[in-house]
């Protein structure tokens, strides 16, 4: 598991699962940017959960999920994001992939997330 408490204030880690990867970059000011890339269902979604759990135990004050590289997702990733909400000041940075946008809309969970137009806007929130 990724343990950000043992990392310097600036750093980057990446974890790969099948056709997916999760990159986590800790930036100055306590901002953590998590970038899932690829297809996220089952085990790949659990990799995102592990990274979010590590970030929750770090000194990060804001967690940005850069959603722009998600090629496919199902409800597994949505559950991971919903479960992580209480432990994070989380922002989803878009533009959201169509499939994730539809998933949030159809499940009525869009209002539960702060969604920024892009990564730059997410940093300003």
């Amino acid at each position: 598991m990724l343990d950000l408490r043992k990392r310097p204030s600036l750093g980057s880690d990446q974890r790969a699962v099948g056709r997916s990867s999760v990159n986590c970059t800790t930036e100055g000011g306590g901002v953590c940017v998590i970038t899932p890339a690829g297809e996220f269902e089952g085990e790949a979604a659990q990799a995102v959960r592990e990274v979010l759990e590590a970030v929750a135990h770090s000194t990060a004050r804001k967690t940005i999920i850069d959603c722009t590289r998600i090629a496919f997702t199902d409800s597994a990733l949505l559950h991971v994001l919903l479960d992580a909400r209480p432990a994070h000041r989380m922002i989803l940075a878009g533009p959201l992939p169509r499939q994730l946008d539809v998933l949030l809309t159809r499940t009525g969970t869009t209002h539960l997330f702060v969604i920024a137009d892009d990564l730059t806007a997410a940093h300003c929130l």
Side-chain angles (χ1 to χ4, degrees):
M1 182 187 319
L2 175 69
D3 186 351
L4 297 178
R5 292 174 293 178
K6 297 179 180 177
R7 312 298 281 160
S9 61
L10 299 175
S12 180
D13 284 288
Q14 185 167 358
R15 137 174 283 210
V17 179
R19 294 179 292 185
S20 304
S21 66
V22 183
N23 185 57
C24 180
T25 303
T26 305
E27 301 175 352
V31 177
C32 180
V33 178
I34 299 172
T35 306
E39 300 177 4
F40 288 89
E41 55 187 345
E43 188 178 336
Q46 291 308 311
V48 176
R49 181 183 304 278
E50 291 176 8
V51 172
L52 282 164
E53 287 173 355
V55 171
H57 293 99
S58 74
T59 58
R61 61 174 185 77
K62 177 169 45 175
T63 304
I64 299 172
I65 311 292
D66 179 356
C67 299
T68 59
R69 295 185 183 176
I70 297 172
F72 173 82
T73 188
D74 63 9
S75 61
L77 182 61
L78 176 59
H79 285 285
V80 166
L81 296 174
L82 288 168
D83 291 346
R85 284 181 56 246
H88 296 268
R89 179 172 170 234
M90 186 187 314
I91 300 166
L92 303 182
L96 298 182
R98 178 165 164 51
Q99 191 169 26
L100 180 58
D101 188 41
V102 168
L103 187 60
L104 291 169
T105 301
R106 288 190 179 163
T107 59
T109 56
T110 304
H111 71 281
L112 298 175
F113 295 97
V114 174
I115 301 174
D117 290 338
D118 56 34
L119 201 51
T120 301
H123 277 88
C124 295
L125 296 175

